Amino acid sequence: MLDIQSIRADFPILHQEINGKPLVYFDNGATSQKPVVVIEAIEKYYKEINANIHRGVHHLSQVATDAYEEARLIVKNHINAAQLHEVIFTSGTTFGINLVANGFSQMLKEGDEVIVSHLEHHSNIVPWQFACERSGATLKVIPMNEKGELVMEAYDQLLTDRTKLVAVNHISNALGTINPIREIIDKAHKVGAAVLIDGAQAVPHIKPDVQELDCDFYVFSGHKMCAPTGSGILYGKEAWLNKLPPYQGGGEMIKEVTFEKTTYACLPHKFEAGTPNIEAGIVLGVAINYLNSIGFENIEAYEKELLKYATEKLQEMPGIIFYGTSTEKASVISFNFEGLHPYDVGAIIDKLGIAVRTGHHCAQPIMEYYKIPGTIRASFSFYNTKEEIDRMMDALKKAQSMLS
Ligand code: PMP
């Protein structure tokens, strides 16, 4: 059982009024709020530690380097990577996917195929379009069904010995569907394809075990899991990271530079060119420790309760249409009201202090499937409450009566 009131006390931003009403923050899918331990760690870094890493012999540089490498170890243990150097710091999910896609664009050739799914965020579509355009490979798409699930029989048909890479999300940001990634990975491996999992929406809710999943790459952003923006992780199996060419050239990623030839540093530094966001990397470790102190089993169970409560309440509303009705779902609800534009509803409830996301959620193909401009998305975190859901319901009723 979570002590929600004491958890909420950890999040200063929640205790404010917006437009004269107490804030109800249901836009956790876009970014999470930050607990005091994280905010204090950012301050401590700049007050006591700030120095460049892996470079100076001086004391502070060593302290900063140790803290950064400690964070890498926290991430390694959290996702159960086999090796520390399989954990690459990035600025976020988008960067991680682009890094891998750029590498593949140099390894793919005409006739090869890359598979993504209809449920992807644009950042797990566009980099693969780039890679296919540059290499002459072909992009294939796993279709979705009305419930917002992947059509696995169609996936089976798409997989051939031409398939070189499969890139899918663990959890859909627009609908909340939890995809059967274990099955997707196993099937891809049977035809010799690598698999990249976009874990951006999973890591706030689930502790991924990359060895158990057997994925080749797993990427995520820190900012959706209580850490600062500018922090992120690319996990890659050692063999794949060795095969993949470097992404950015610069300091830190080299072994030796001459004008004739440059050799590259070992993992993980080969993919960490330039001065990283040191503070964000260190504080990602703090955020992961914070989440683990609450416990992902507790988080999952409580968020399921919130999802069930909100779904039941919303079902009572006239004209409601849900998008993404899979039974395998994270605490995300996407919906509309018949005849009302999602933006209008979102704007009215914002005036009542309720923060939800409206629009296509960077997943336009999903909106195209349902033939809608967008949805209203409420995404819940472990610091939200049923009382807040009640407040959203009151606000939605008001919006509905104003707009009808
Ligand atoms: N993939 C998914 C599923 C996401 O939800 C997001 C963020 N909305 C991204 C990728 C991109 O993450 P970022 O903007 O942090 O790079």
Side-chain angles (χ1 to χ4, degrees):
M1 269 290 280
L2 296 182
D3 178 353
I4 301 303
Q5 286 321 315
S6 100
I7 287 173
R8 285 179 69 79
D10 290 340
F11 291 82
I13 203 168
L14 299 177
H15 309 285
Q16 62 174 305
E17 296 201 337
I18 302 288
N19 297 319
K21 309 277 187 220
L23 166 67
V24 172
Y25 186 77
F26 285 165
D27 196 17
N28 297 288
T31 199
S32 71
Q33 297 305 345
K34 318 303 173 202
V36 160
V37 281
V38 160
I39 298 166
E40 285 177 355
I42 295 169
E43 195 179 354
K44 180 181 158 74
Y45 173 78
Y46 286 112
K47 279 186 168 166
E48 298 174 22
I49 301 175
N50 180 47
N52 213 330
I53 52 170
H54 301 137
R55 293 172 195 202
V57 289
H58 64 82
H59 178 78
L60 276 190
S61 174
Q62 200 49 57
V63 173
T65 304
D66 289 349
Y68 198 65
E69 291 307 320
E70 171 66 22
R72 197 189 304 273
L73 182 62
I74 292 169
V75 175
K76 175 206 175 257
N77 292 336
H78 183 67
I79 64 173
N80 193 29
Q83 319 255 15
L84 193 57
H85 57 255
E86 292 176 323
V87 176
I88 314 289
F89 279 112
T90 66
S91 60
T93 307
T94 303
F95 190 97
I97 296 171
N98 275 277
L99 187 161
V100 178
N102 178 74
F104 268 84
S105 74
Q106 296 174 57
M107 300 191 299
L108 292 166
K109 51 186 187 332
E110 235 175 281
D112 288 345
E113 292 177 357
V114 172
I115 298 178
V116 296
S117 91
H118 204 119
L119 291 179
E120 298 314 305
H121 186 280
H122 296 159
S123 63
N124 203 24
I125 300 173
V126 184
W128 300 110
Q129 289 174 326
F130 289 169
C132 289
E133 277 162 22
R134 286 171 195 158
S135 63
T138 306
L139 193 69
K140 300 274 174 175
V141 183
I142 312 170
M144 62 182 274
N145 64 19
E146 192 64 29
K147 287 165 124 184
E149 296 164 332
L150 296 179
V151 182
M152 293 300 282
E153 300 74 36
Y155 175 56
D156 293 342
Q157 299 300 312
L158 288 176
L159 283 170
T160 68
D161 59 3
R162 292 187 298 277
T163 313
K164 296 298 173 243
L165 184 120
V166 178
V168 292
N169 60 40
H170 194 161
I171 296 182
S172 151
N173 64 308
L175 305 178
T177 314
I178 304 174
N179 289 315
I181 58 168
R182 197 51 229 266
E183 186 184 340
I184 289 172
I185 293 163
D186 288 348
K187 287 181 167 168
H189 284 168
K190 290 215 169 81
V191 298
V195 183
L196 176 138
I197 302 295
D198 168 357
Q201 292 293 334
V203 287
H205 311 291
I206 296 171
K207 188 173 157 133
D209 182 330
V210 293
Q211 287 191 80
E212 203 258 322
L213 288 170
D214 198 26
C215 53
D216 301 287
F217 303 100
Y218 195 99
V219 291
F220 58 95
S221 303
H223 71 91
K224 293 183 199 283
M225 59 183 313
C226 294
T229 45
S231 62
I233 294 296
L234 159 65
Y235 157 81
K237 279 185 188 160
E238 182 182 29
W240 271 112
L241 292 176
N242 279 330
K243 222 181 278 182
L244 217 60
Y247 183 39
Q248 294 189 329
E252 195 72 11
M253 54 76 71
I254 56 90
K255 193 175 274 168
E256 200 171 43
V257 176
T258 67
F259 284 112
E260 288 70 41
K261 188 175 164 53
T262 290
T263 51
Y264 307 126
C266 304
L267 296 173
H269 307 295
K270 172 180 160 189
F271 294 108
E272 294 184 349
T275 302
N277 191 334
I278 303 166
E279 152 257 314
I282 292 172
V283 179
L284 172 59
V286 175
I288 288 175
N289 283 344
Y290 174 79
L291 289 170
N292 279 321
S293 76
I294 294 170
F296 275 86
E297 276 160 31
N298 295 328
I299 289 173
E300 253 188 282
Y302 179 65
E303 288 177 346
K304 258 199 191 125
E305 231 180 90
L306 290 180
L307 176 70
K308 182 166 180 287
Y309 184 78
T311 307
E312 284 169 3
K313 290 276 167 186
L314 282 165
Q315 267 163 354
E316 293 166 9
M317 292 197 70
I320 186 127
I321 309 160
F322 291 103
Y323 304 95
T325 50
S326 175
T327 47
E328 297 299 315
K329 230 169 96 92
S331 51
V332 174
I333 307 185
S334 239
F335 60 97
N336 274 329
F337 294 108
E338 246 166 54
L340 304 186
H341 197 286
Y343 177 82
D344 295 337
V345 178
I348 291 178
I349 69 172
D350 171 58
K351 294 280 176 282
L352 301 166
I354 319 289
V356 291
R357 173 104 184 249
T358 60
H360 55 63
H361 318 299
C362 299
Q364 284 181 355
I366 298 180
M367 303 304 135
E368 198 185 301
Y369 176 90
Y370 289 119
K371 304 205 172 7
I372 51 172
T375 72
I376 303 160
R377 182 188 72 181
S379 47
F380 311 117
S381 180
F382 58 89
Y383 44 70
N384 290 130
T385 64
K386 290 183 183 167
E387 291 71 37
E388 288 183 304
I389 292 170
D390 291 339
R391 293 208 30 237
M392 176 180 75
M393 296 308 302
D394 290 342
L396 286 171
K397 281 174 197 157
K398 269 198 192 127
Q400 219 178 16
S401 75
M402 281 171 76
L403 292 166
S404 303

